[in-house]
Amino acid sequence: MRLKPGALLRFYSLCGILVQGSQGQFPLTQNVTVVEGGTANLTCRVDHNDNTSLQWSNPAQQTLYFDDKKALRDNRIELVRASWHELSISVSDVSLSDEGQYTCSLFTMPVKTSKAFLTVLGVPEKPQITGFTSPVMEGERMQLTCKTSGSKPAADIRWFKNDKEVKDVKYLKEEDANRKTFTVSSTLDFLADRNDDGAVVSCRVDHESLNSTPQIAMQVLEIHYTPLVKIISSNSWPEEGQSIILTCESKGKPVPEPVLWTKDGGELPDPERMVVNGRVLSISFLNKTDNGTYRCEAKNPIGRNSTEYVLIVHDVFNTLLPTTVIPSLTTATVTTTVALTTSTTTSATAISTRDPNALAGQTGPDHALIGGIVAVVVFVTLCSIILLGRYLARHKGTYLTNEAKGAEDAPDADTAIINAEGSQVNAEEKKEYFI
């Protein structure tokens, strides 16, 4: 059949319009990442579509859906939405074998395609810690290994001891037999120390498939060690007559047996005053014989240890009580006896008193007060001596004048002597009495 030139021209024009319209139609897809066992949603969109069919196919180029018609018998694959502008499907319970490149096809002239890569994350298995044998003796080397398998990509392992991260560890990564996942292990190497007893060592696995919730394995350490001994005294300055309590603190694992108390390398010399009650040593009525070195010894199946305490009993500390100065009376007395006269007494008194405002706790002598009292006493004594001397001189002159009475009218010395002798003759008749 031959077409007329006009009909042929109209046919080519229609084909050109169809081709020109199809050039503005492009399928759009996005890569998808899903955790193994999860659900993957694959979406293909076309902004300008003139009723052209859409199709999804898997990495093996098997058609999954053609528009709204299911082509592959797989119960995990379902249709989400089908229209001229979108074709969305879901794949549930995704496995590692589902990973690959999926194709969305737009059946235009020519057919246009868009690729979407499905990434499946392998979830690491719960980690396990191996290499620990309980108990561990102090000083022994410990090697703990944390291991996890099935991660894709390879997981990261971190070590912690009591929530503090340990950096110095060994890391090993191996590919699994399926050549898709990895087995990762890490080793922690350290010397056992008594401070590690009861510590929690944890191995943490970080992976993007865990959604910021890491998997953790923990191991509590049990370290056995010899006792650590310390003596605590209840009295820092023991004095004679007082009491003292010595407490022996011992820490070890296993728990130490009851402690042993000794003095100067031997048994306690006075059991009546030195009483042991468990870890406590009580000594009553201290005296100088209690001075010495007291030893406390503790032991357990691992070993033994001891410590010493040197006891020095001090003299009783006497606190001087406040003193009161009793007023003292200092008297200087001079007595002179003269014929036909009575004796005369002259006294000088110095009184020393203590300042009533002085502190009650003052115990030392007041040197300034004592010096003042001495000066007053010396001054009063000197004055008394001077007054006494004047008094004696006055009485002596009066006596001599009476004895020479009658000679003051003599014209010369010879006459005075004669008069004096006459007086003495007459004096013989007189009798004098000394009272």
Side-chain angles (χ1 to χ4, degrees):
M1 181 181 68
R2 295 181 63 184
L3 296 176
K4 295 181 180 181
L8 186 59
L9 179 60
R10 287 193 298 270
F11 175 76
Y12 286 132
S13 299
L14 179 60
C15 291
I17 293 173
L18 293 175
V19 173
Q20 183 177 4
S22 65
Q23 290 179 353
Q25 301 175 13
F26 296 97
L28 300 175
T29 60
Q30 290 182 340
N31 295 332
V32 177
T33 299
V34 64
V35 177
E36 184 180 10
T39 300
N41 292 316
L42 301 174
T43 300
C44 180
R45 290 187 177 89
V46 179
D47 292 335
H48 304 284
N49 190 1
D50 55 355
N51 300 334
T52 304
S53 297
L54 292 172
Q55 172 186 289
W56 271 112
S57 57
N58 62 14
Q61 296 303 314
Q62 296 173 321
T63 301
L64 303 179
Y65 266 90
F66 185 83
D67 287 338
D68 59 350
K69 298 178 179 60
K70 188 174 184 179
L72 184 65
R73 293 183 178 181
D74 190 336
N75 295 331
R76 300 179 304 128
I77 304 174
E78 294 182 357
L79 179 65
V80 177
R81 184 177 182 182
S83 68
W84 297 116
H85 298 283
E86 179 181 341
L87 179 60
S88 296
I89 63 173
S90 66
V91 182
S92 60
D93 194 17
V94 175
S95 64
L96 294 175
S97 60
D98 293 325
E99 183 177 83
Q101 187 169 265
Y102 288 73
T103 305
C104 175
S105 302
L106 177 63
F107 286 90
T108 59
M109 293 294 292
V111 177
K112 296 178 181 178
T113 60
S114 179
K115 307 294 184 180
F117 196 89
L118 175 62
T119 301
V120 180
L121 301 178
V123 180
E125 297 177 357
K126 184 176 178 59
Q128 292 183 347
I129 297 178
T130 59
F132 178 75
T133 56
S134 180
V136 178
M137 303 302 169
E138 183 179 24
E140 290 184 358
R141 180 168 295 278
M142 297 182 62
Q143 287 187 343
L144 303 180
T145 301
C146 178
K147 186 176 182 180
T148 179
S149 302
S151 60
K152 178 182 173 296
D156 184 27
I157 296 180
R158 301 166 65 187
W159 285 96
F160 293 85
K161 183 187 292 185
N162 287 338
D163 297 329
K164 184 178 180 181
E165 185 172 2
V166 181
K167 295 290 188 179
D168 189 14
V169 295
K170 297 178 181 179
Y171 183 83
L172 179 62
K173 179 178 68 174
E174 296 178 343
E175 191 176 49
D176 294 336
N178 58 16
R179 305 186 67 84
K180 293 180 179 292
T181 58
F182 295 89
T183 296
V184 181
S185 62
S186 178
T187 303
L188 176 64
D189 191 346
F190 63 98
L191 290 177
D193 184 80
R194 65 181 59 198
N195 295 325
D196 293 330
D197 182 52
V200 178
V201 175
S202 58
C203 159
R204 191 173 85 178
V205 176
D206 293 322
H207 193 264
E208 54 185 306
S209 65
L210 300 176
N211 297 325
S212 303
T213 305
Q215 293 183 346
I216 299 176
M218 294 186 298
Q219 177 66 60
V220 179
L221 302 182
E222 182 181 1
I223 312 298
H224 283 192
Y225 54 94
T226 57
L228 179 65
V229 186
K230 179 174 63 174
I231 295 179
I232 299 178
S233 172
S234 64
N235 193 341
S236 60
W237 186 268
E239 297 180 355
E240 288 186 299
Q242 295 182 348
S243 299
I244 190 172
I245 298 176
L246 301 179
T247 303
C248 180
E249 290 188 352
S250 59
K251 180 182 178 182
K253 196 165 186 179
V255 177
E257 300 175 2
V259 299
L260 175 64
W261 283 99
T262 58
K263 178 179 183 293
D264 296 331
E267 297 181 354
L268 299 178
D270 192 347
E272 294 183 358
R273 291 189 305 108
M274 302 177 179
V275 180
V276 177
N277 184 10
R279 304 179 183 277
V280 178
L281 170 62
S282 302
I283 307 176
S284 58
F285 303 105
L286 291 172
N287 56 62
K288 295 291 186 179
T289 61
D290 297 327
N291 290 342
T293 301
Y294 292 80
R295 177 189 295 270
C296 168
E297 181 180 283
K299 64 178 181 179
N300 63 7
I302 309 302
R304 63 179 62 198
N305 201 353
S306 64
T307 187
E308 296 178 345
Y309 176 83
V310 178
L311 175 61
I312 300 177
V313 180
H314 302 273
D315 295 331
V316 178
F317 181 73
N318 291 325
T319 303
L320 296 178
L321 299 176
T323 58
T324 302
V325 178
I326 301 176
S328 60
L329 180 63
T330 303
T331 304
T333 304
V334 180
T335 304
T336 304
T337 304
V338 183
L340 298 178
T341 62
T342 59
S343 62
T344 302
T345 303
T346 303
S347 301
T349 303
I351 299 176
S352 171
T353 59
R354 189 175 183 86
D355 185 1
N357 296 324
L359 296 176
Q362 183 176 355
T363 59
D366 191 340
H367 299 285
L369 181 60
I370 294 176
I373 293 174
V374 172
V376 172
V377 171
V378 172
F379 176 76
V380 173
T381 303
L382 292 177
C383 292
S384 300
I385 293 174
I386 294 173
L387 293 176
L388 180 61
R390 290 176 61 96
Y391 177 80
L392 292 177
R394 180 176 298 178
H395 278 267
K396 182 177 181 180
T398 303
Y399 177 78
L400 293 176
T401 301
N402 291 333
E403 187 175 83
K405 189 174 182 181
E408 65 270 9
D409 296 332
D412 52 22
D414 295 333
T415 304
I417 293 174
I418 293 173
N419 292 337
E421 292 176 354
S423 299
Q424 292 177 358
V425 173
N426 295 330
E428 293 178 355
E429 296 177 0
K430 298 179 181 180
K431 294 182 179 181
E432 293 182 356
Y433 298 93
F434 292 89
I435 299 175

